[in-house]
Amino acid sequence: VSLVLAPHFSALSVARSTNYVTCGRCGTPLVGRERELEDLQRAFERSVEDRTCMLFTVLGAAGAGKSRLVEEFLGGVGGSAQVLVGRCLPYGEGITYWPVAQAVRAAMELHDFDEPEEVRSRLDGILAGDDHADAIAARLSEVLGIAEGHSAPEETAWAIRRFLEILASERPVIAVWEDVHWAEPALLDAIDHVADWAGDAPILLLCTARPEFLDSRPAWGAGKQRASALTLPPLAADASTQLIANLLGGGRLPVDAAGRVADAGGGNPLFVEQMVSMLIDDGLVVRENGGWTPVGDLSSIAVPPSVAALLAARLERLSDDERRAIGSASVIGKDFFVGAVRHQGAVTEPHEAFDVERQPMVFENAIGLYWRLEESGLLFGMSNPDEAPGRAREVDWPYLHAMEERMHAW
């Protein structure tokens, strides 16, 4: 998730780049998902070799590692495909095609606050030469919010398909649709339409969803020769133990402590990650020689019974200012301008709410990444410590699903 930030805001806007950035685990090797990764890679290879559209759905509970799997897959694809990402929202009005708008703007390298004239110009440039360019542009302009209109859902689905086909005529396309369990029926119908009717175009439609998605859409992918789905099982005990070691930069917890964390996590990678973070918060694991080393007595560590309880325990450790900053952000949503948090008056400057030296992992995992606000008023991403502050005008901001839900219930 990429947020573009500026010193002044007349509207709250979020733009997603084609880089797929996820949670704190993404800097560590993938564990326990090798077979699922191979399935994804084969689906993409088939799409490219056969110049066909493939629908691939990754199902998994919150924290099971859907985003981590997709991130690993996209990292292996490199520049061999154009990656477009759209995320479905659980709230809001008029958001049916919000994920499509995100993906189309990413393809045009534009953001929400770009002028309508510039958006239409870029769109016309991509569609130039197509016999139906004007009709496609008219429908997508409605999706992008730069033109009034009420096209029929079937017409919008057709325009989305043609846009992806035109992009794929130049280079394979991977369209990632995140959290489709929150998608509106019209969007799901549009994805279905693309999967069924896209021709002579290497397109991979990659969807992520929670298992309950199939309760409302039981026939998803059914009857399609070019559709696949997989459900992420819990990590095996040895994979959970390896994940702990990876999160600690090669360091290892005592066998009994690691076993308790792995057992309590039930194979949920998010639980394991947050449990390790809580040990760091409590000073039971400290940074040493570039990694994390256990110190003190870990024989009697308290293990919360669930991910929700674990996140609640970590949130309760935050100061009032820290809670206000995160709470204000959660009201806006998973993606937000830091200026919007400032505008709500939660804190004068959001970075003042967090003591980065005292709670590095609270900061990194509760909000997403280390951040700092320079005198210019710009927020600079710290995921790459070698990047000069004056160059970074975007920050990668993954906000954990469970954290968001917990904060909304606060």
Side-chain angles (χ1 to χ4, degrees), residues 141-163:
S141 292
E142 295 173 16
V143 170
L144 293 166
I146 62 171
E148 297 290 337
H150 301 282
S151 294
E154 295 81 6
E155 295 176 349
T156 302
W158 167 81
I160 293 168
R161 172 173 63 84
R162 287 297 301 130
F163 181 80

Side-chain angles (χ1 to χ4, degrees), residues 5 8 34-35 45 98 116 162 182 185 194 202 300-301 323:
L5 300 141
H8 305 289
E34 293 79 12
R35 182 179 300 174
E45 290 168 0
W98 167 254
R162 287 297 301 130
W182 283 326
V194 176
S300 59
I301 56 173
R323 291 197 216 185

Side-chain angles (χ1 to χ4, degrees), residues 94-102 143 151-154 156-157 160 184 186-187 190:
I95 58 172
T96 299
Y97 297 111
W98 167 254
V100 177
Q102 286 182 305
V143 170
S151 294
E154 295 81 6
T156 302
I160 293 168
E184 297 285 339
L187 175 60

Side-chain angles (χ1 to χ4, degrees), residues 63-270:
K66 300 183 294 296
S67 296
R68 180 65 183 91
L69 174 65
V70 172
E71 187 267 349
E72 186 76 13
F73 163 66
L74 295 179
V77 169
S80 63
Q82 181 168 7
V83 179
L84 310 177
V85 183
R87 184 174 62 84
C88 303
L89 302 177
Y91 48 81
E93 297 181 1
I95 58 172
T96 299
Y97 297 111
W98 167 254
V100 177
Q102 286 182 305
V104 172
R105 287 183 183 274
M108 298 187 296
E109 300 182 348
L110 292 173
H111 305 301
D112 285 350
F113 46 77
D114 287 306
E115 294 295 330
E117 296 78 11
E118 176 65 15
V119 176
R120 182 56 191 257
S121 176
R122 296 276 186 99
L123 186 57
D124 289 341
I126 291 176
L127 302 176
D130 189 88
D131 293 341
H132 303 288
D134 289 341
I136 299 169
R139 273 67 177 183
L140 292 183
S141 292
E142 295 173 16
V143 170
L144 293 166
I146 62 171
E148 297 290 337
H150 301 282
S151 294
E154 295 81 6
E155 295 176 349
T156 302
W158 167 81
I160 293 168
R161 172 173 63 84
R162 287 297 301 130
F163 181 80
L164 293 176
E165 287 175 333
I166 290 168
L167 290 181
S169 67
E170 301 289 334
R171 177 164 66 133
V173 169
I174 299 175
V176 181
W177 309 113
E178 299 180 78
D179 298 334
V180 296
H181 50 275
W182 283 326
E184 297 285 339
L187 175 60
L188 296 176
D189 290 343
I191 296 173
D192 248 341
H193 170 83
V194 176
D196 287 336
W197 295 101
D200 190 29
I203 302 170
L204 176 63
L205 302 172
L206 176 52
C207 303
T208 68
R210 296 180 185 173
E212 57 265 28
F213 168 64
L214 296 181
D215 294 339
S216 59
R217 202 84 174 189
W220 182 252
K224 292 181 173 61
Q225 295 183 350
R226 299 172 297 177
S228 300
L230 61 82
T231 300
L232 294 180
L235 289 179
D238 58 342
S240 293
T241 301
Q242 184 60 51
L243 175 59
I244 294 171
N246 292 344
L247 290 167
L248 294 175
R252 292 187 177 273
L253 297 179
V255 174
D256 57 342
R260 292 185 64 200
V261 171
D263 290 343
N268 186 292
L270 174 61

Side-chain angles (χ1 to χ4, degrees), residues 322-386:
E322 290 167 340
R323 291 197 216 185
R324 279 195 293 270
I326 296 177
S328 294
S330 73
V331 170
I332 300 166
K334 184 175 179 179
D335 305 322
F336 53 86
F337 277 122
V338 68
V341 178
R342 187 189 309 120
H343 180 71
Q344 292 188 62
V347 288
T348 302
E349 297 295 355
H351 76 289
E352 294 178 358
F354 291 87
D355 183 343
V356 180
E357 295 300 323
R358 179 177 64 85
Q359 293 178 300
M361 292 297 280
V362 168
F363 197 81
E364 182 172 331
N365 289 320
I367 296 297
L369 293 170
Y370 287 101
W371 63 335
R372 60 175 174 176
L373 200 64
E374 299 294 324
E375 291 181 355
S376 63
L378 294 172
L379 183 65
F380 301 106
M382 297 301 290
S383 56
N384 180 0
D386 297 325

